[in-house]
Amino acid sequence: MSERTARSAGARIRLAVLGMVAVGLVVMVGALYAGGGAPQKPADGLLGAGLGVSWAVLVLRIVADAATVATAGALLAVLLFLPAKGGRLGAKAIHACQDAALAAGIWAVASIGGLITTATVILGIPLSHLAEHADSAGQITQVRALAVAVVLTAVLAVILSGTKTLRAARVAAVLTVAALIGPLLTGHGAIDRTNLWSVLATVSLVVHVTAASAWVGGLGAVLRYSRSREAAEIFSKLALVCAVTIGITGLLTAEIHLDGRQGGWGLITQWVTTGYGVLVLGKALAFTALVFIGWQHRQGTLPRLATGDPAAFRQLAVLELLVMAGTIGLAVALSRTP
């Protein structure tokens, strides 16, 4: 690949990433207003954190999610379809690790911002007063989880920046999953009831988000690092497993949460009568669209790749990534919708 071609490819990738973030933000904002979860001004006489800080929590969450997906995708490329000889990574795999290190650094910075803004919103104080309430902030479980995520992602960025072996890449993959899981155990997704259903909902959420990160990240990795038939076939198998997992855990988590609001079969009675239910329905429709695109990949893209047409994968994959970005925006809105 010539230097000019490499620059052009890099520009297209940056444009695609920015497009995904923009789509995720637009869908998130629209879904928050549609579902009734948009930040509100504090009542008269109360200071509160302010609308700017409240929205910053959500924007930083989108940035962190995008960085998570990029980190996971680059590592999946290293582990699944970028060859290593004798446990030593090749030049392209090392480059993927460098990309993952940069993404992990962005993830860490976004997590720091999320920690600060989340503590401010939960305590209901202006950002300028947070230092005076540091002890109280340190007692908040969500803040503690984000603090752990900051440490893990910072360590992850350091490890990835020097990763040149398959073993180190595997260690980085474990750290990625650990950093991803922590905040999920204490967020909106964890039902307050301390019983079997609460545990089941939380486990389902963790599996759901992990599978989603692998699916989105894996697709981006194929586009970024290899559009060969072999890589596409490996991803196609991974995507099928992720899709089935996401479908099952998504329905289970949604039903537990909706049922916990009023009782009964929540998916039937509330998916068009509550803001949360409407967003669940929107997410289900987006998931259906992704499954259809995946089927189109299997029916049309893989045969075209076999004939030596590398552009075949890109044409559908870019659209798929944009739909995925919108789904992530819906997921963030769901996490904030009462």
Side-chain angles (χ1 to χ4, degrees):
M1 180 183 293
S2 67
E3 183 178 348
R4 182 177 180 179
T5 303
R7 285 199 303 267
S8 177
R12 288 197 300 269
I13 290 167
R14 287 191 293 272
L15 182 62
V17 171
L18 290 175
M20 287 183 65
V21 173
V23 168
L25 286 171
V26 169
V27 172
M28 179 194 73
V29 172
L32 282 167
Y33 279 110
Q40 303 292 325
K41 291 182 179 180
D44 292 340
L46 298 178
L47 290 177
L51 279 178
V53 174
S54 297
W55 278 108
V57 172
L58 302 169
V59 173
L60 288 166
R61 169 73 182 277
I62 285 281
V63 173
D65 286 352
T68 302
V69 166
T71 304
L75 281 170
L76 280 172
V78 173
L79 297 175
L80 295 182
F81 50 79
L82 293 180
K85 295 182 180 180
R88 303 290 298 182
L89 301 181
K92 186 172 285 190
I94 291 175
H95 179 63
C97 287
Q98 295 296 319
D99 288 345
L102 175 60
I106 294 172
W107 185 2
V109 172
S111 296
I112 292 172
L115 182 156
I116 294 171
T117 52
T118 297
T120 303
V121 169
I122 292 176
L123 292 174
I125 58 175
L127 183 60
S128 58
H129 293 183
L130 183 60
E132 303 168 15
H133 298 82
D135 290 340
S136 298
Q139 301 302 313
I140 300 172
T141 55
Q142 291 95 323
V143 171
R144 289 180 174 180
L146 284 168
V148 172
V150 168
V151 173
L152 289 176
T153 49
V155 171
L156 179 62
V158 173
I159 291 176
L160 283 167
S161 64
T163 294
K164 295 183 179 179
T165 65
L166 195 57
R167 178 178 296 180
R170 288 170 178 161
V171 171
V174 173
L175 281 175
T176 300
V177 174
L180 172 65
I181 288 175
L184 298 176
L185 301 178
T186 59
H188 181 73
I191 293 179
D192 293 335
R193 294 171 290 168
T194 55
N195 57 24
L196 177 61
W197 291 112
S198 177
V199 174
L200 183 60
T202 302
V203 172
S204 179
L205 178 65
V206 168
V207 174
H208 184 86
V209 174
T210 302
S213 299
W215 191 4
V216 182
L219 177 60
V222 175
L223 275 174
R224 176 75 173 92
Y225 303 108
S226 176
R227 296 175 197 162
S228 67
R229 180 183 179 185
E230 292 77 12
E233 287 179 343
I234 292 172
F235 170 73
S236 181
K237 295 174 182 177
L238 172 66
L240 178 60
V241 174
C242 290
V244 172
T245 302
I246 290 169
I248 294 172
T249 55
L251 285 173
L252 179 61
T253 303
E255 171 57 33
I256 292 173
H257 279 270
L258 288 170
D259 179 65
R261 284 164 165 74
Q262 295 179 6
W265 290 95
L267 283 177
I268 298 175
T269 61
Q270 299 179 58
W271 66 351
V272 292
T273 60
T274 67
Y276 191 94
V278 168
L279 296 190
V280 170
L281 177 59
K283 198 175 174 189
L285 292 175
F287 172 74
T288 302
L290 289 173
V291 170
F292 176 75
I293 294 173
W295 180 78
Q296 291 292 323
H297 272 306
R298 296 183 70 88
Q299 295 298 310
T301 301
L302 293 181
R304 287 178 62 189
L305 281 173
T307 65
D309 182 8
F313 189 81
R314 184 179 66 245
Q315 292 171 355
L316 265 180
V318 172
L319 172 62
E320 189 174 4
L321 282 172
L322 291 176
V323 176
M324 286 175 169
T327 306
I328 291 173
L330 279 171
V332 174
L334 267 173
S335 72
R336 301 291 172 173
T337 300

